[in-house]
Amino acid sequence: MDPTARAVESLLAFWADSGVDAALADAAENRLATGAVQATPIGADPQPLTPAPAAVTSSDTDLAIAQARAAAASADSLVELEAAIAAFDGCALKASARRAVFARGDPSAPIMIIGEAPGGDEDIQGLPFVGRAGQLLDRMLAAAGLADRVFITNTVFWRPPGNRTPTAPEQAICAPFVERAIALARPKALLLVGGASAKFLLGRSEGILGLRGRWFEWRSSDEALEIPALPTLHPAFLLRQPAAKKKSWADLLMLAERLDRPARPN
Ligand code: URA
């Protein structure tokens, strides 16, 4: 093998080992040659290592949100909603994803779980929470007796490149579909998995460690729907920090207890 091919192969293997499994652009850019990366003088504010994402102007975002609202409103069932999401072109994440990932589970379940975004396994299989984090979530739900009582979706429906956190505009553009899913499924409670889900859906700025294990009310944008919502830790975080599982366990028991609490007589 010629030395250049060997060097390229070795570099690709190094990236794969480091978890780099997605390209952010079609063409490579030599940022050293273009002078985009400059040394930072000691004491100056550090420059970001990656270029800022192309700005999404608020008018672009507003237009996409309006289109998402119209598409979501025209869906009269979850099946129609899934088709409307798959046909929607207003979210930039669609360009780099293999397919739209909508939901799995029982649409009439009392709990709707809302995660952050599809990852690599979800992008391949077309279903949310099917990778390692999803398998842990399933085991925890089963242990809490909740396995058959959930409908699972995410704040965005396409895998962000490199599994980055979805941006606020990406979440805002997908929000009318999430809201329509909630309105059509009418769950008794929402379980908001991870900070990106909890902060966005509840409009809060605290970190997930401050939000988890507390009940909030999620309200639809027209305020017509109000549903109890419980933030909890993301299972991907639990894979990295197994000691935090006891917190998630306490959250799931709190959720099960609330669902099974007998209604108060009038
Ligand atoms: N993480 C999420 O938040 N959602 C998925 O569907 C998979 C991983």
Side-chain angles (χ1 to χ4, degrees):
M1 193 189 292
D2 84 79
T4 311
R6 203 174 308 122
V8 168
E9 194 172 85
S10 151
L11 181 60
L12 288 173
F14 168 72
W15 280 340
D17 279 353
S18 313
V20 177
D21 61 355
L24 296 182
D26 288 338
E29 184 185 349
N30 183 347
R31 295 182 55 74
L32 293 171
T34 57
V37 177
Q38 284 162 2
T40 305
I42 292 167
D45 284 343
Q47 298 292 308
L49 289 176
T50 47
V56 181
T57 67
S58 62
S59 62
D60 284 344
T61 305
D62 289 348
L63 178 63
I65 293 171
Q67 289 167 342
R69 257 197 216 118
S74 70
D76 289 327
S77 68
L78 289 164
V79 172
E80 285 181 23
L81 186 62
E82 179 167 18
I85 291 168
F88 182 68
D89 291 327
C91 180
L93 293 175
K94 187 173 184 175
S96 56
R98 283 190 174 83
R99 55 178 58 80
V101 176
F102 177 46
R104 72 173 169 97
D106 175 4
S108 61
I111 304 166
M112 185 181 284
I113 296 181
I114 306 181
E116 176 178 315
D121 293 305
E122 291 74 19
D123 186 51
I124 290 169
Q125 295 187 43
L127 293 169
F129 280 109
V130 290
R132 277 184 71 223
Q135 287 159 19
L136 174 59
L137 179 66
D138 283 351
R139 286 198 298 278
M140 295 185 72
L141 290 168
L146 298 173
D148 300 328
R149 306 177 76 190
V150 296
F151 185 62
I152 307 179
T153 188
N154 280 304
T155 63
V156 299
F157 304 103
W158 294 269
R159 178 198 187 191
N163 293 344
R164 66 161 169 72
T165 303
T167 63
E170 288 159 359
Q171 288 183 307
I173 289 165
C174 291
F177 294 114
V178 177
E179 190 165 307
R180 188 73 184 137
I182 298 171
L184 288 166
R186 293 287 179 129
K188 290 196 168 58
L190 303 177
L191 183 66
L192 307 179
V193 169
S197 167
K199 289 202 265 185
F200 182 71
L201 281 148
L202 299 175
R204 311 277 302 202
S205 57
E206 300 102 302
I208 188 64
L209 288 168
L211 293 171
R212 63 145 287 274
R214 294 159 58 196
W215 283 103
F216 294 85
E217 284 296 316
W218 171 84
R219 279 189 196 85
S220 56
S221 48
D222 60 1
E223 312 246 316
L225 261 184
E226 224 178 75
I227 299 185
L230 181 66
T232 193
L233 302 175
H234 197 287
F237 173 75
L238 302 179
L239 288 171
R240 295 191 301 271
Q241 306 275 338
K245 280 186 196 163
K246 59 178 181 291
K247 292 194 169 86
S248 294
W249 180 241
D251 298 346
L252 290 183
L253 294 184
M254 187 187 248
L255 176 61
E257 190 275 332
R258 180 161 182 153
L259 285 183
D260 296 336
R261 197 185 292 163
R264 286 220 189 98
N266 292 322

